[in-house]
Amino acid sequence: IEMGDTSIRLKPPPVDAEAADEILGQVGAGDRRLIGLFLGAGHPSRRWPIENFAELAGRLSDDEQNKVLVFAGPEERDLRPGLKERFGDTATVVDELPLITFFAMLSRLRVFISGDTGPMHLAALAGAGIVLISQAGAPDIFLPLTERREVLNQRAIKDLSVDEVMAAVNRSF
């Protein structure tokens, strides 16, 4: 059996796409390359350290073409305190959004960097390139439905370096 195209792409409703564009205008995204970071995961052991995400945001924001956005959903409310201070000028921490507006924001991203989460699958459906930070030995049957993905699962999540993730992001452009 030959495997067919595994990519699926959905578009957000126009009203939500407009809401996303308005938010992006307010944060000065302009025509810059949008990169999303999603900090959460279903279990803390599956989260890449926030300090690593902050360092990655700093490196990505060194390129003026990039605009880095940090997302955290309802399950990550415990991570929100202090995020704006941790990321400083290197990224914009996006307030919690309704699901369909969040999906519309994902549709504007060039790359989405995340652990193995529901939002990562939504980003793939929205058309963003995916850099998946995953646990060594994680089953690959649950990979996002897109050809535009880089999977980092060579070892424990906490042991994946910022250099490795940065290289994967660069391959995703």
Side-chain angles (χ1 to χ4, degrees):
I1 298 174
E2 288 187 34
M3 182 68 142
D5 182 15
T6 58
S7 297
I8 298 173
R9 182 145 188 216
L10 301 175
K11 291 185 179 185
V15 67
D16 296 293
E18 289 173 18
D21 290 341
E22 184 175 324
I23 293 167
L24 291 169
Q26 292 170 358
V27 301
D31 60 355
R32 294 162 73 191
R33 193 167 40 204
L34 300 176
I35 301 169
L37 309 178
F38 191 81
L39 307 180
H43 189 273
S45 68
R46 292 179 26 225
R47 291 180 182 165
W48 199 45
I50 291 176
E51 297 76 25
N52 291 358
F53 274 113
E55 183 180 339
L56 180 66
R59 291 189 194 182
L60 290 166
S61 68
D62 284 343
D63 183 338
E64 292 181 8
Q65 293 180 7
N66 295 334
K67 175 68 176 173
V68 180
L69 305 171
V70 176
F71 298 98
E75 292 182 2
E76 292 79 33
R77 286 187 182 133
D78 62 316
L79 301 178
R80 283 196 172 273
L83 278 184
K84 291 182 181 184
E85 292 76 21
R86 279 184 154 164
F87 284 90
D89 294 337
T90 65
T92 298
V93 177
V94 179
D95 292 331
E96 194 173 316
L97 300 168
L99 182 60
I100 196 69
T101 307
F102 174 63
F103 182 76
M105 290 284 284
L106 296 175
S107 74
R108 302 305 193 238
L109 299 178
R110 176 75 64 90
V111 180
F112 187 76
I113 305 151
S114 171
D116 188 4
T117 64
M120 179 265 310
H121 290 284
L122 289 175
L125 288 171
I130 303 297
V131 174
L132 171 57
I133 302 169
S134 187
Q135 194 72 4
D140 62 1
I141 193 166
F142 300 112
L143 291 177
L145 296 175
T146 181
E147 301 298 324
R148 293 186 54 218
R149 67 176 180 234
E150 292 282 334
V151 180
L152 301 172
N153 61 358
Q154 299 85 353
R155 60 188 139 283
I157 288 175
K158 66 180 179 58
D159 295 333
L160 289 170
S161 72
V162 175
D163 288 336
E164 291 171 292
V165 176
M166 185 71 182
V169 171
N170 288 331
R171 289 189 300 270
S172 297
F173 292 145

